[in-house]
Amino acid sequence: KYASFSIYYYRKDSLDQKTPIYNKLVKLPIPPGEENKTAALSYNYRIMPLENTSSTGTYYCEVKWNDIQKMGRGVFVLVRDTGYINTSYGWEILVTLTVLLAVLSVTATALLLWKRK
């Protein structure tokens, strides 16, 4: 009963639309005496190439037996165009704030000392 199953690979985009990628019917021969034993098998599928940014989404693997259906947790893949530069201004903002606070601190100290005299 469980020696024949189907494997489905598909992608869900940001609108939760399924795009089928690949499917495969598997029929495993079961040797005599091994009928009631549990087996764990791996099936890999490489998705190549990711054509454009519309390939961004969560990729899933799903296995279906006659009466059972199991789905993986999915892997999110973000596809960017060629030449994309990640724009992160975290360090620039931190340095700017540090310099600004240092200048204000020195100015406030100088004003307090000048007013004291």
Side-chain angles (χ1 to χ4, degrees):
K1 176 179 176 179
Y2 298 110
S4 178
F5 55 91
S6 297
I7 302 173
Y8 298 90
Y9 295 95
Y10 60 90
R11 173 178 54 87
K12 279 189 178 180
D13 61 15
S14 60
L15 302 174
D16 211 32
Q17 294 177 324
K18 272 188 184 182
T19 303
I21 297 170
Y22 176 77
N23 61 48
K24 176 181 183 177
L25 178 63
V26 178
K27 291 185 180 185
L28 297 174
I30 301 176
E34 299 289 319
E35 291 89 358
N36 293 322
K37 293 189 178 178
T38 301
L41 303 169
S42 294
Y43 292 91
N44 296 322
Y45 180 74
R46 181 170 286 199
I47 301 167
M48 293 291 285
L50 297 171
E51 295 90 16
N52 53 37
T53 56
S54 66
S55 298
T56 293
T58 306
Y59 288 77
Y60 293 93
C61 174
E62 188 172 350
V63 179
K64 292 182 183 179
W65 290 270
N66 292 335
D67 55 347
I68 299 174
Q69 179 175 327
K70 295 288 183 180
M71 185 173 79
R73 290 179 281 169
V75 174
F76 180 74
V77 176
L78 175 62
V79 180
R80 295 181 174 158
D81 284 331
T82 304
Y84 177 83
I85 298 173
N86 193 5
T87 55
S88 174
Y89 299 107
W91 284 107
E92 290 86 352
I93 292 171
L94 182 63
V95 169
T96 303
L97 285 175
T98 303
V99 169
L100 182 64
L101 288 174
V103 168
L104 288 173
S105 177
V106 169
T107 304
T109 304
L111 285 173
L112 284 173
L113 290 175
W114 176 71
K115 192 167 186 164
R116 220 178 208 193
K117 290 183 183 179

